[in-house]
Amino acid sequence: MLMLVGGDITKLEVDAIVNAANAALSGGGGVDGAIHAAAGPELLAACRALGSCEPGDAKITPGFALLAKHVIHAVGPVWRGGDYEEERLLRSCYRRALELAIEAGAQSIAFPCISTGAYRFPRPLAAAIAIDETRHSTLPRIVFCCFDPGDIRLYRRSADTVGVQLH
Ligand code: APR
């Protein structure tokens, strides 16, 4: 089931939340900063132990002080106009995050709108990719957490366009 919620991803009770991380896994602003702040300093230590992560890939850590058991750190592409494999890399983030969640035995996962903040990926295209890459997943509950209220509308429109039901 695909679900849409507004607000802060760190407050969600799901098995895994996805972070929009940077390649150094060093923490940052935006959703990355919020997740590190809510999880506590052990999260940064766990990220350091993992080293870096290529754009399009993802790595998993515990959730520490979060309600979520796991954090999946996905590194989205920086939007550079669309001719630098940005779409392929964003698709790959969603696929890798789902793979890691399933390997970890998660039944539920929440995604932020990866790459659409500091990395400037166009929001309508990012929403369409998020729906398309998750719609056939076997994971029982997939939540899109839209911090920006405008994204709620975009996700609904993208889902309607391809005939997907968003709860
Ligand atoms: N919960 C859910 N979504 C959030 C939250 C939150 N608490 N805070 C911000 N967002 C949303 C933003 O509104 C945006 O739609 O997350 C989306 C992604 O924005 P960014 O966090 O800027 O992520 P991204 O564009 O992928 O850029 C990644 O930013 O913070 C750094 O370390 C990070 O360098 C990396 C870069």
Side-chain angles (χ1 to χ4, degrees):
M1 177 177 26
L2 299 185
M3 294 173 64
L4 195 54
V5 302
D8 181 359
I9 201 167
T10 66
K11 304 285 194 284
L12 297 182
E13 278 194 66
V14 286
D15 292 335
I17 62 172
V18 177
N19 184 15
N22 55 58
L25 302 181
S26 58
V31 69
D32 197 4
I35 289 173
H36 276 272
E42 286 167 294
L43 184 63
L44 189 57
C47 286
R48 288 222 171 95
L50 289 174
S52 59
C53 182
E54 293 289 312
D57 199 4
K59 293 195 175 174
I60 189 165
T61 65
F64 300 103
L66 289 164
L67 295 169
K69 288 198 255 319
H70 312 282
V71 178
I72 296 173
H73 305 265
V75 180
V78 177
W79 181 261
R80 292 194 286 150
D83 290 333
Y84 293 85
E85 304 211 302
E86 293 96 326
E87 178 167 346
R88 182 185 70 75
L89 292 170
L90 187 60
R91 286 184 179 277
S92 170
C93 282
Y94 281 92
R95 281 203 296 275
R96 283 293 295 139
L98 290 174
E99 276 170 17
L100 289 172
I102 289 166
E103 270 170 42
Q107 301 289 303
S108 54
I109 186 171
F111 285 96
C113 308
I114 302 169
S115 277
T116 64
Y119 285 179
R120 302 182 313 274
F121 202 103
R123 287 177 184 270
L125 180 56
I129 287 171
I131 304 255
D132 193 45
E133 287 297 334
T134 52
R135 56 191 289 205
H136 298 301
S137 174
T138 54
L139 220 134
R141 190 154 69 100
I142 298 175
V143 181
F144 301 113
C145 179
C146 296
F147 194 66
D148 181 324
D151 280 323
I152 300 255
R153 235 176 316 122
L154 288 176
Y155 275 70
R156 289 218 177 282
R157 203 176 302 154
S158 289
D160 285 350
T161 305
V162 292
V164 165
Q165 219 186 344
L166 270 186
H167 296 270

